[in-house]
Amino acid sequence: MRFIPHTEQDIREMLETIGIQNVDQLFTGIPAGLRLGDTPLRLPSALSESEVVDKLRQIQKRNPDPEEMSSFLGAGAYRHYSPAVIGSLIQRGEFSTSYTPYQAEVSQGTLQAIFEFQTMIAMLTGMDVVNASMYDGASALAEAVLMAHRINKKSEYLIASSVHPEYRQTVETYLRGTNHQLVNVPYDSTGKTDLKFILKNLNNRVSAVVLQSPNFFGIVEEYEELGKELAEQGTLLIVVVAEPLSLGILKPPGERLADIVVGEAQSFGLPVSYGGPYAGFFATREKFVRQMPGRLAGETVDRRGRRSFVLTLSTREQFIRREKATSNICTNQGLCMLAVTIYLAVMGKQGLRELALLNLSKTDYMKKKLSKIQGFEMRFSGDTFNEVVLKCPKPANQIRDALLEYKILAGLPLGSYYPELDDSLLLCATELNTVEDIDLLADKLEAV
Amino acid sequence: MEVPNDLLYTHEHEWVRLKGNRATIGITDFAQGQLGDVVFVELPAEEAELAKENTLGVVESVKTVSDIYAPVSGKVVAINKDLETQPELVNIDPYGKGWMVEIELSNPSPDMQHLLSSDQYGNQCKNQE
């Protein structure tokens, strides 16, 4: 069945209503030279299924095989080992929808998984309530900014330049066409956000301050005292976590007076996979729960007193509140969220902590090793988790290109995001980077 | 269903008690009955300026959410803070302890043509039942 419900008569009536003769006239805004018109598409002749598979395999080979590369890329997408149990569990028939349940309460298993996801993220972030997940970290941040405005009706935001540049772009996109104003907060020589700049620019028009920790440069932000100052102005503190594994050893943002904590859960069992699909998380204080976007699973008891799960506070959502809904998020990242939940359950509190420590020590080793190379040095002096910025003696993209020859992905050249850091590479080391890999990276950098 | 005859009403089921240049506002017995158990009431900030027929707040029950509209224009001089912890007062005592806001009228002798008497409002509810 074609999913085009219009009859010939419908189409005629619609054309009449808007006063045109035929459908083609709808496209007159597109220059004639760009329109296909009656010219047939120049497509190759049809292939059999096996030929198509073969063809696609040829195309695939043009990508470097990530398994054969030694990768030091991070920058918001982190390589971690994903236990096999995740793949086998998420494929179970009972979970075989990637989507949020609409006839929710019949899907008790899915609701329980969501409830457990919320609980574990609440523990990691130190916050009261967490929603059923968002599309990704970037859109979660944009929603956090909109939520801050709903809470205090203010429209200015101080956002650290060390927040992931693509997250900042997403926020800008969400705010385009509104009178909201974003002010970028500079970073200092330690790589941390300049808190003095924040205090200097703080006034009663500022809705929220946005920080990322560890920030885009891998530096752990210190903002213990900031929350108090912000509260006095009625300004909210939004903390972004792009590498949530860091929460295995860092103090949760909830204990550092954050009002909203958002982030990316990809590190927890989701493949890097060309940048998606990932799962964003969104956490806040209980007093703000009615302003929170997205779905929420709650625990209750049924008629016979048995533990059961429901979607709760749905009255904030579109299907009840229509245009007055809290946000237009009426869904969650069901399948990815499930993978994250299983990952966290498998790792456990101790496992997560050990893995975080392993990432830290790998990165410390890399830091020491790379700092010793003539001409190279650490760009920033602040404390790091599993990413560092390396200052190079020549443009960073030339160095990256040179190392590709040895099947080394030597991190991300920062120049395209930060022109002033044209000579710098952002490098990440996780449990999957061996000491030999790091030694080889150092050798090849030295030879460049 | 109770419709006290000393109050004025709106088509949207708010009641208004006028005293000098002040108006106390809540939702009617009929409205609370239709909404069911009220679980949350969102009220404006004190000092907020309200314009007639604009949204004043929100009442959330287990099954739905409804806007409350300002029946008259003016400045909010008091809000019922008890509703923060005891939203059920709206169900138990809609014309008493379940009051929502008190407004100081911007026009001391406002036009009340758009408001209904208890008889008119009672008839409207009968038709809606």
Side-chain angles (χ1 to χ4, degrees):
Chain A
M1 190 185 85
R2 293 178 73 199
F3 199 73
I4 301 174
H6 307 134
T7 62
E8 279 301 319
Q9 196 191 334
D10 289 338
I11 293 171
R12 220 169 30 244
E13 285 172 10
M14 286 191 282
L15 291 175
E16 259 167 45
T17 305
I18 60 173
I20 58 170
Q21 309 299 316
N22 55 52
V23 175
D24 285 343
Q25 284 180 293
L26 288 171
F27 300 102
T28 47
I30 301 170
L34 296 176
R35 271 180 280 155
L36 200 57
D38 295 328
T39 2
L41 284 170
R42 271 175 298 159
L43 293 173
S45 55
L47 298 176
S48 70
E49 182 174 326
S50 70
E51 286 168 324
V52 172
V53 170
D54 198 49
K55 177 116 191 153
L56 289 174
R57 221 173 256 142
Q58 295 303 324
I59 296 172
Q60 190 185 23
K61 277 190 192 149
R62 286 158 57 190
N63 279 324
D65 181 353
E67 302 297 318
E68 281 182 18
M69 303 289 288
S70 164
S71 173
F72 293 89
L73 271 174
Y78 300 95
R79 283 192 325 134
H80 291 293
Y81 184 73
S82 177
V85 63
I86 296 175
S88 48
L89 284 180
I90 63 173
Q91 285 177 56
R92 284 185 63 106
E94 297 92 325
F95 287 125
S96 66
T97 167
S98 58
Y99 217 52
T100 188
Y102 278 115
Q103 197 187 352
E105 280 69 35
V106 296
S107 310
Q108 284 295 307
T110 300
L111 287 187
Q112 181 170 353
I114 294 175
F115 184 77
E116 287 176 11
F117 169 82
Q118 293 172 176
T119 306
M120 289 191 278
I121 298 291
M123 289 166 80
L124 277 172
T125 54
M127 301 299 280
D128 304 326
V129 283
V130 175
N131 75 11
S133 72
M134 311 288 285
Y135 296 122
D136 53 26
S139 64
L141 175 59
E143 287 284 349
V145 165
L146 298 181
M147 174 167 153
H149 173 72
R150 283 196 294 276
I151 292 170
N152 59 25
K153 313 285 181 230
K154 302 174 183 187
S155 316
E156 211 175 294
Y157 310 90
L158 301 179
I159 185 164
S161 346
S162 55
V163 170
H164 195 306
E166 288 166 354
Y167 286 27
R168 284 186 281 130
Q169 279 173 16
T170 306
V171 175
E172 276 167 34
T173 304
Y174 271 58
L175 297 183
R176 193 168 297 157
T178 67
N179 59 359
H180 295 240
Q181 231 190 324
L182 286 174
V183 178
N184 278 315
V185 182
Y187 55 87
D188 62 22
S189 63
T190 64
K192 287 182 204 157
T193 297
D194 184 353
L195 296 187
K196 284 196 204 97
F197 180 96
I198 293 178
L199 295 179
K200 216 185 293 163
N201 287 274
L202 193 61
N203 58 58
N204 61 10
R205 294 186 307 277
V206 179
S207 175
V209 168
V210 183
L211 293 181
Q212 178 179 323
S213 185
N215 67 26
F216 191 65
F217 308 131
I219 307 287
V220 179
E221 296 276 6
E222 283 167 51
Y223 53 91
E224 296 284 350
E225 298 304 315
L226 186 62
K228 276 183 221 145
E229 307 259 4
L230 298 189
E232 276 171 31
Q233 292 286 348
T235 299
L236 300 174
L237 176 60
I238 300 174
V239 176
V240 187
V241 186
E243 170 49 299
L245 181 62
S246 62
L247 296 175
I249 48 170
L250 291 178
K251 201 170 176 184
E255 283 176 29
R256 299 203 274 176
L257 301 179
D259 296 291
I260 305 173
V261 181
V262 291
E264 175 54 66
Q266 174 270 328
S267 278
F268 296 152
L270 297 173
V272 170
S273 176
Y274 301 95
Y278 290 174
F281 60 82
F282 197 110
T284 189
R285 302 278 175 205
E286 188 161 3
K287 61 179 171 185
F288 300 136
V289 67
R290 282 183 168 74
Q291 299 305 333
M292 182 163 74
R295 317 218 87 185
L296 261 181
E299 185 192 17
T300 184
V301 285
D302 71 3
R303 222 154 36 123
R304 293 185 208 146
R306 293 173 303 188
R307 185 184 191 222
S308 52
F309 301 90
V310 290
L311 284 183
T312 188
L313 286 167
S314 302
T315 40
R316 302 164 294 123
E317 295 187 60
Q318 273 177 338
F319 63 97
I320 293 181
R321 292 230 71 195
R322 313 295 296 240
E323 81 282 5
K324 286 178 179 157
T326 321
S327 82
N328 64 2
I329 302 287
C330 252
T331 180
N332 72 326
Q333 278 286 42
L335 189 65
C336 295
M337 175 231 61
L338 180 65
V340 169
T341 308
I342 296 167
Y343 180 89
L344 288 173
V346 169
M347 296 301 287
K349 216 172 178 175
Q350 190 57 27
L352 212 60
R353 185 181 150 75
E354 281 167 17
L355 186 65
L357 286 171
L358 185 56
N359 274 250
L360 182 69
S361 64
K362 281 280 173 66
T363 307
D364 278 348
Y365 178 78
M366 175 171 77
K367 220 166 150 175
K368 278 197 199 97
K369 196 86 192 172
L370 302 186
S371 303
K372 279 186 203 148
I373 310 170
Q374 184 72 39
F376 290 83
E377 59 178 319
M378 287 299 129
R379 181 69 176 70
F380 301 115
S381 59
D383 291 331
T384 51
F385 173 58
N386 67 3
E387 280 182 285
V388 299
V389 176
L390 181 69
K391 190 171 184 291
C392 310
K394 25 172 142 168
N397 50 3
Q398 287 179 20
I399 293 181
R400 188 260 325 259
D401 292 350
L403 266 69
L404 272 179
E405 210 178 303
Y406 308 103
K407 300 205 169 189
I408 297 172
L409 286 169
L412 180 77
L414 287 175
S416 55
Y417 295 115
Y418 302 88
E420 73 278 17
L421 299 176
D422 198 31
D423 60 354
S424 297
L425 282 172
L426 178 63
L427 294 145
C428 172
T430 71
E431 74 278 12
L432 295 180
N433 296 94
T434 63
V435 168
E436 292 75 33
D437 287 342
I438 296 170
D439 290 347
L440 186 68
L441 169 73
D443 287 351
K444 297 301 173 195
L445 281 175
E446 197 160 14
V448 166
Chain B
M1 187 190 72
E2 203 192 335
V3 188
N5 56 20
D6 59 333
L7 305 179
L8 291 169
Y9 299 87
T10 67
H11 288 288
E12 287 82 27
H13 309 283
E14 290 92 12
W15 56 259
V16 188
R17 180 178 287 127
L18 286 170
K19 214 176 202 179
N21 67 341
R22 301 218 164 169
T24 308
I25 295 159
I27 64 165
T28 65
D29 192 20
F30 178 83
Q32 70 77 20
Q34 294 286 310
L35 286 167
D37 292 343
V38 172
V39 292
F40 185 70
V41 182
E42 188 186 309
L43 295 176
E46 285 183 29
E47 306 282 299
E49 293 285 345
L50 297 174
K52 188 172 87 180
E53 283 158 18
N54 278 7
T55 311
L56 161 169
V58 176
V59 187
E60 182 181 328
S61 70
V62 286
K63 56 182 177 185
T64 189
V65 175
S66 291
D67 288 326
I68 316 158
Y69 297 96
V72 284
S73 303
K75 188 169 81 180
V76 177
V77 288
I79 56 169
N80 186 356
K81 293 202 170 80
D82 292 341
L83 299 181
E84 276 176 28
T85 48
Q86 295 168 273
E88 65 274 16
L89 290 174
V90 174
N91 295 112
I92 300 166
D93 189 8
Y95 300 110
K97 288 185 176 134
W99 68 279
M100 290 173 179
V101 296
E102 193 177 328
I103 292 176
E104 190 179 271
L105 303 175
S106 47
N107 177 354
S109 49
D111 178 13
M112 295 291 175
Q113 288 296 312
H114 61 292
L115 298 178
L116 308 173
S117 70
S118 57
D119 283 347
Q120 287 169 316
Y121 178 69
N123 284 334
Q124 178 192 310
C125 293
K126 257 176 227 148
N127 295 334
Q128 283 183 12
E129 260 171 347

